[in-house]
Amino acid sequence: QGKFTLLRDTRTDGSFLVHHFLSFYLRAGCKVCFVALLQSFSHYNIVAQKLGVSLTAAKEQGQLVFLEGLKSCLDLLFGEEEQQGQSSPLQFLSGSSSDLRALFDFVRVSLAPADRDSWKGPVLLVDDLSVLLSLGAAPVAVLDFIHYCRVSVCCQLQGNVVVLVHSNEDSEDEENELVVNSLCHHSDLILWAEGLATGFCKDVHGQIKIIKRLSLRQAAEQDLVQIYQYKIQDRNVTFFARGLSAAVL
C-alpha cells in the first residue's frame, strides 16, 4: 500500500503490464480508477476477458471507474459535453485552463471513500501518460498531476498508483524524457520493458528490468535490479532468465 509503480517501455509495447495490473487489482477487490488515454473501453474489456475479468461487470458494481480518453477528447472538441452541461476531465484541451486540475478532481472524486464501499483499497491506473504531452499538456502540468495523485492516493488513502510512459533514449522529444526521468526518481518500483537490441525473435519478445527503489526509503541502500526476458502468449506472459529461452535451449 502507498506505492507508486512506474511502467516504462522502450522499443516495444508495454501495454501487457497495464492489462496485468488492471486484472490483478480488480481480482483483489480494489477500487480502481482507470484513466485510459490510449485505447477504447472495448479493447481493454476484450483483453480483460481473456484474463478472466469482466470490466463491464466491474463498472456496474462500482468497482471500476473508467475514463475513456479518446471519447472524451471527441466530445470536448465537438462540444457535446458542454451542451449536456458536463465538464470534461480533459478540460485543458479547450484552452480555458493549462493545468490538469479537472483530471485530478476526476481521480480524487472517483476514489473518494464512501460509506457503502467494501473495496479493499484505491488504485489509480494511467495508460499512458505520454498521451497527455501529445495532447498539449506541459511537462510541469503532467508532473504536478502525478504529484497530487501520489499525495492523495498513496499518502492520504494508502492506495497505489500505476503509470505507463513511453520512452526512447535516442528521441529528440525532450519534454517526454524530462517527465520520464522525473518519474523514475520518485518511483517505488520501476518495471522497464525493452525490445531486444538484436531485433525480432519469435521465442523472446523482449526483456524486462525490475528496479526496486530501496534508495528511495533508505539513503544508504542500493537499488535492487533484476533482469528477465519474456514471451507474450495469448492469455499470459512467460518470464525466464536471459539465455534460457526456447530458442537457445
Side-chain angles (χ1 to χ4, degrees):
Q1 290 182 330
K3 301 294 185 183
F4 175 56
T5 301
L6 180 67
L7 312 179
R8 180 177 178 180
D9 61 17
T10 304
R11 303 188 309 273
T12 190
D13 183 8
S15 59
F16 69 95
L17 294 170
V18 174
H19 297 300
H20 160 74
F21 277 101
L22 179 60
S23 60
F24 170 77
Y25 282 121
L26 289 176
R27 278 199 298 265
C30 298
K31 177 73 174 286
V32 178
C33 175
F34 188 14
V35 178
L37 303 170
L38 202 60
Q39 301 284 355
S40 65
F41 176 79
S42 60
H43 168 82
Y44 292 106
N45 192 36
I46 289 171
V47 178
Q49 285 177 341
K50 291 184 177 181
L51 300 176
V53 175
S54 172
L55 299 191
T56 304
K59 279 183 66 177
E60 292 173 351
Q61 295 167 3
Q63 183 184 10
L64 173 66
V65 180
F66 190 93
L67 172 61
E68 193 165 359
L70 297 174
K71 183 176 182 298
S72 294
C73 286
L74 290 174
D75 290 345
L76 185 66
L77 293 174
F78 291 104
E80 294 184 18
E81 290 193 354
E82 293 181 1
Q83 293 174 3
Q84 298 170 3
Q86 299 174 343
S87 60
S88 170
L90 303 179
Q91 199 68 42
F92 73 95
L93 282 173
S94 64
S96 58
S97 175
S98 60
D99 58 37
L100 299 175
R101 183 174 300 180
L103 184 58
F104 168 70
D105 287 339
F106 171 81
V107 172
R108 180 176 54 81
V109 171
S110 299
L111 294 178
D115 296 336
R116 295 174 298 171
D117 282 350
S118 59
W119 312 117
K120 290 183 179 178
V123 175
L124 169 63
L125 185 59
V126 182
D127 181 25
D128 78 78
L129 203 64
S130 303
V131 174
L132 291 176
L133 294 172
S134 301
L135 292 174
V140 173
V142 174
L143 291 174
D144 283 347
F145 166 69
I146 293 298
H147 171 72
Y148 282 107
C149 287
R150 286 178 58 219
V151 171
S152 177
V153 180
C154 296
C155 299
Q156 296 177 353
L157 300 177
Q158 285 298 298
N160 296 298
V161 176
V162 182
V163 173
L164 172 69
V165 289
H166 295 300
S167 72
N168 189 348
E169 292 158 330
D170 300 328
S171 172
E172 296 181 359
D173 190 348
E174 296 179 358
E175 291 188 344
N176 188 74
E177 294 309 303
L178 171 65
V179 169
V180 172
N181 291 331
S182 298
L183 293 178
C184 285
H185 287 297
H186 295 95
S187 304
D188 296 287
L189 175 67
I190 303 173
L191 302 180
W192 190 352
E194 298 176 282
L196 296 176
T198 52
F200 175 77
C201 175
K202 68 175 183 176
D203 293 305
V204 184
H205 291 159
Q207 75 171 19
I208 185 166
K209 187 182 296 183
I210 304 171
I211 306 172
K212 296 181 180 178
R213 298 291 316 287
L214 302 179
S215 61
L216 196 65
R217 302 295 179 186
Q218 297 178 339
E221 291 289 336
Q222 291 282 336
D223 291 342
L224 180 62
V225 180
Q226 298 171 295
I227 300 178
Y228 298 95
Q229 292 181 332
Y230 64 86
K231 179 181 180 181
I232 301 175
Q233 296 166 320
D234 190 38
R235 296 178 184 271
N236 60 7
V237 181
T238 304
F239 295 91
F240 40 83
R242 287 181 291 182
L244 296 182
S245 69
V248 177
L249 301 178

